[in-house]
Amino acid sequence: MTSTPTPSTPSGLDPEIAARLRRGADGLVPAIAQQYDTGEVLMLGWMDDEALHRTLTTGRCTYWSRSRQEYWVKGDTSGHFQWVKSVALDCDADTVLVKVDQIGAACHTGDRTCFDADVLLDVQDGVQVGVQVDARADARGDARLGGADSGVPAVDQ
């Protein structure tokens, strides 16, 4: 369940930027973190107006935690900082792309990115070179990833 963020003070986000944002019903926009020099997609987080304001003004990524219902600055507890290099809105103004210099792991699991463990398909030069289903999916019975109770046949590796 997602709740609407309730910051203790009004956002300091520039009103012109705020007027352009197309937020979800929960007041949030997805924020994609991408390594600025390699283009590697690191993670997806969520921002409201205040999180975006803090990101733009501090040079460090600030997100809204939907589970903890609080702001968090990437790296404050893990030491895995995201130093902001640029921030852009997509063509619909409903997604933020933050190009960062990632220090350490981006994923809370300790992986470099949040997309390292569950590679569902890998095609190079038109040839399928591998399919990987995360072993954690089977333990969870995760139907999305072909887990034990999914009805999806196991993939040979």
Side-chain angles (χ1 to χ4, degrees), residues 143-154:
R144 295 168 300 144
L145 300 176
D149 300 323
S150 71
V152 176

Side-chain angles (χ1 to χ4, degrees), residues 25-69:
D26 56 6
L28 301 172
V29 294
I32 300 166
Q34 180 182 39
Q35 180 64 34
Y36 82 99
D37 55 352
T38 66
E40 179 180 36
V41 176
L42 300 168
M43 60 172 281
L44 172 77
W46 297 93
M47 292 184 179
D48 68 352
D49 289 16
E50 181 59 20
L52 180 55
H53 168 69
R54 293 178 188 187
T55 298
L56 291 169
T57 57
T58 66
R60 294 188 51 209
C61 282
T62 300
Y63 300 98
W64 175 258
S65 171
R66 297 180 303 167
S67 60
R68 294 188 313 265
Q69 296 292 294

Side-chain angles (χ1 to χ4, degrees), residues 59-138:
R60 294 188 51 209
C61 282
T62 300
Y63 300 98
W64 175 258
S65 171
R66 297 180 303 167
S67 60
R68 294 188 313 265
Q69 296 292 294
E70 65 185 15
Y71 295 106
W72 59 280
V73 179
K74 184 68 176 167
D76 272 0
T77 56
S78 67
H80 300 160
F81 298 100
Q82 290 179 340
W83 299 104
V84 176
K85 297 293 186 176
S86 70
V87 180
L89 291 176
D90 77 335
C91 58
D92 297 319
D94 63 359
T95 303
V96 175
L97 175 63
V98 186
K99 293 188 178 182
V100 301
D101 188 8
Q102 176 70 48
I103 307 302
C107 188
H108 71 281
T109 65
D111 286 338
R112 168 73 181 159
T113 83
C114 293
F115 302 99
D116 287 342
D118 286 340
V119 177
L120 303 179
L121 179 64
D122 188 1
V123 177
Q124 296 175 15
D125 297 324
V127 177
Q128 182 175 328
V129 293
V131 176
Q132 174 183 343
V133 176
D134 185 355
R136 296 173 291 185
D138 192 52

